[in-house]
Amino acid sequence: MKPDLFEAPDYYQIDDLLSDEHKLVRDATRQWVKREVSPIIEDFAQRAEFPKQLLSGLAEIGAFGPYIPEEYGGAGLDQISYGLIMQEIERGDSGIRSTASVQSSLVMYPIFAYGSEEQKKKYLPKLATGEMMGCFGLTEPNHGSNPGGMETRFKDMGDHYLLNGAKLWISNSPFADIAVVWAKNEEGRIHGLIVERGMDGFSTPETHNKWSLRASATGELIFSDVKVPKENLLPGKNGLGAPLGCLDSARYGIAWGAIGAAMDCYDTALRYAKERTQFGKPIAGFQLQQKKLAEMITEITKAQLLALRLGQLKNEGKATTAQISMAKRNNVDMAIKIAREARQMLGGMGITGEYSIMRHMMNLESVITYEGTHDIHLLITGADITGIQAFK
Ligand SMILES: Cc1cc2nc3c(=O)[nH]c(=O)nc-3n(C[C@H](O)[C@H](O)[C@H](O)COP(=O)(O)OP(=O)(O)OC[C@H]3O[C@@H](n4cnc5c(N)ncnc54)[C@H](O)[C@@H]3O)c2cc1C
């Protein structure tokens, strides 16, 4: 793979709107990605292997629970810093960002927001250092966009719960030490349970043959009469709103992350277009190529402003689920379109692993589907502005 020469576009001087802490956190993550991720990522993606050696570094840069308070081992940063960290990691690879998103928003967040004090003290500090890794089990073979239909169930057996069912498409499941699992009790109410690797009847087979997020480990969670201790139930919140609250946080991070992937594709295409000569001049000098680049920087700038304003709202506790849906949907769509255009600008070279674009493009096919598909987010906006649900 070519050396990482990335220079971040900032067409509207958005840096001026960031605090010194934001820029410090962002720049430290950017340097770490250049040093640790860029040199190895193509090889791991080609081999469809998750680079486990990055876990300690991710913890050191504060990517595990950036906004979790320091008393529980988190970095105690604000939501804009969290977003910038996700942006920079996804600039390297969406799969590595997925690992950090899951650990932060889908494992640490529910334990922090819905867990007991004992659960917070037991799990959060180890999750923050990466000593313990987690995954989040909501999607099932028969229930993706409609998680409320889930079939995974647990029964109260007096001194423990008995858990049965299966989850599919679970990021980090093949190596996770714990899983935050969403299941229905005998009354059909959804609760979160912390299931630990090693519990009898619990297995996590890996899903192979992915053409997307190849450097991220994805798998199943299978529960066959798993005895879950009663103290592993998250007591603070139940109902579908509990897992959806976690998704709000993860989708917010994705809205920023997608900007990273888009910036990398744009930056690569711009540099290539200035260097590559055809018909006696750089291809950047042809109107058709300039149109592509000009539209890319326009869309990236709009996405940056959307994410930043959403971050401000989130810091104030005012961001709504529908606002987060709009940003996730817009920014991922923007990124995948830029990846496709940028790939064409590199001609034949665009399909090789010499450049990051094709990997980003394939990764974004998962990002546009997970955490709510492109169409589901549109329906969330539609329901919000009309007051009428069009899901069913
Ligand atoms: C690589 C990867 C990692 C993932 N990681 C996780 C994870 O860590 N944890 C987890 O719980 N899940 C995870 N997922 C699952 C992901 O969230 C689901 O794939 C996603 O929610 C879509 O569900 P589905 O695949 O079952 O598609 P379906 O729900 O079957 O949807 C298929 C199509 O139908 C459309 N559709 C569905 N309902 C409607 C409707 N009412 N109106 C109009 N169109 C509709 C959808 O938009 C989509 O285009 C991951 C997925 C992938 C690919």
Side-chain angles (χ1 to χ4, degrees), residues 102 106 135-146 167-172 210 212-213 216 218 247 365-367 369-376 379 390-392:
V102 168
L106 300 181
C135 65
F136 175 90
L138 181 66
T139 305
E140 299 190 352
N142 296 327
H143 304 278
S145 299
N146 176 25
K167 301 286 176 180
L168 187 66
W169 295 119
I170 308 305
S171 302
N172 300 355
K210 290 181 300 169
S212 176
L213 290 193
S216 158
T218 313
L247 294 179
E365 291 291 346
S366 287
V367 181
T369 291
Y370 71 18
E371 304 271 355
T373 68
H374 186 67
D375 285 344
I376 290 295
L379 295 177
F391 292 98
K392 44 187 175 183

Side-chain angles (χ1 to χ4, degrees), residues 148-223:
M150 70 174 66
E151 293 161 48
T152 301
R153 295 194 176 258
F154 65 98
K155 262 190 191 169
D156 191 335
M157 306 300 280
D159 63 340
H160 64 269
Y161 297 119
L162 201 65
L163 178 66
N164 278 290
K167 301 286 176 180
L168 187 66
W169 295 119
I170 308 305
S171 302
N172 300 355
S173 93
F175 61 83
D177 303 290
I178 62 168
V180 171
V181 176
W182 300 94
K184 284 181 179 166
N185 66 10
E186 286 143 287
E187 287 79 49
R189 189 84 186 151
I190 295 172
H191 286 264
L193 297 159
I194 303 170
V195 180
E196 300 188 10
R197 185 173 294 282
M199 287 180 176
D200 278 347
F202 175 42
S203 58
T204 61
E206 184 158 358
T207 302
H208 296 287
N209 286 331
K210 290 181 300 169
W211 282 118
S212 176
L213 290 193
R214 286 171 65 80
S216 158
T218 313
E220 298 170 53
L221 301 174
I222 296 174
F223 315 104

